[in-house]
Amino acid sequence: MLLVLDTKAELIHTTERVFRAERLAVPEPSVVRLVRYVQIPRHYRVAVNRRTVFARDGSRCQYCGSAAENLDHVIPRSKGGPHTWENVVAACRRCNTRKEDRMLHEVGMVLRSKPVAPRHRVQLLALCGGGSEDWNTYLIAGNGRREQLTA
Ligand SMILES: [Zn+2]
C-alpha cells in the first residue's frame, strides 16, 4: 500500500476492500507491479522445512507419488548431502524406509522431478495457502512450468 501511495509500485489487481482516509480512498492491492526492479537479498531465501517442502511438492512422495509423510535427503546426510531445496524432497514412509541412507542408484529409485528452490517467496506463500487467487496468473513453478496454483 505504501509503495503504491509512494508511486514506487502500480496497482494491477485489487481486493474488494477499500482503505479510506479523510480525503482519500484506495482499494487494497492484491497484485502490484514495482516501477523499478528490487533485488531480493539472499537471506530472504525460504527456509527448507517440512511445511515449505511439502508445499513445493504438493504433499506427494517424490519417488512414488503417494501421500508424503517424511522429508528425505536425496543424497543422504550421512554421505554429506546438504539440507537444501535441491536435496530435500517429500517422501512417503515406504519409500523413505526402502531408501534408508543409500544413494538412489543403489536402490534403483528415481525422482519424479528434479527438486529446485522456489523462485520467489510469494510463490511458496501461495502454495502454502497464503496467497490471493489473483496471484495465479503471475506465478511460475520453480521448474519453469506455468502451473495453476490452488490454495
Ligand atoms: Zn513413496
Side-chain angles (χ1 to χ4, degrees):
M1 180 63 83
L2 290 175
L3 289 170
V4 172
L5 292 174
D6 226 8
T7 67
K8 288 178 177 162
E10 41 192 48
L11 278 178
I12 305 297
H13 288 284
T14 60
T15 69
E16 309 270 284
R17 290 177 57 187
V18 177
F19 289 101
R20 293 177 198 284
E22 200 176 348
R23 274 176 285 163
L24 186 70
V26 183
E28 180 186 45
S30 64
V31 177
V32 298
R33 176 169 40 218
L34 289 171
V35 174
R36 275 187 325 118
Y37 178 73
V38 177
Q39 183 74 45
I40 298 169
R42 239 187 114 67
H43 65 264
Y44 278 121
R45 278 190 66 145
V46 185
V48 178
N49 58 42
R50 185 184 161 93
R51 180 165 179 259
T52 57
V53 171
F54 270 49
R56 180 197 64 187
D57 294 346
S59 299
R60 291 279 139 200
C61 174
Q62 295 305 291
Y63 300 111
C64 74
S66 64
E69 294 158 276
N70 302 85
L71 290 184
D72 180 66
H73 290 87
V74 180
I75 300 169
R77 297 286 275 180
S78 62
K79 295 190 164 78
H83 189 72
T84 59
W85 282 106
E86 294 77 12
N87 193 50
V88 178
V89 294
C92 72
R93 188 165 301 158
R94 198 163 149 256
C95 290
N96 210 236
T97 306
R98 181 176 157 210
K99 184 169 167 283
E100 291 182 311
D101 64 342
R102 290 176 291 182
M103 303 293 281
L104 291 180
H105 68 266
E106 295 179 281
V107 279
M109 289 169 73
V110 180
L111 279 167
R112 294 161 70 95
S113 61
K114 189 174 182 285
V116 292
R119 291 171 76 172
H120 302 288
R121 282 173 75 81
V122 285
Q123 179 186 17
L124 200 79
L125 182 62
L127 284 166
C128 289
S132 155
E133 276 193 21
D134 291 340
W135 295 7
N136 292 349
T137 314
Y138 305 97
L139 297 175
I140 297 172
N143 56 15
R145 282 198 316 260
R146 189 174 285 276
E147 282 179 0
Q148 189 69 17
L149 303 173
T150 45

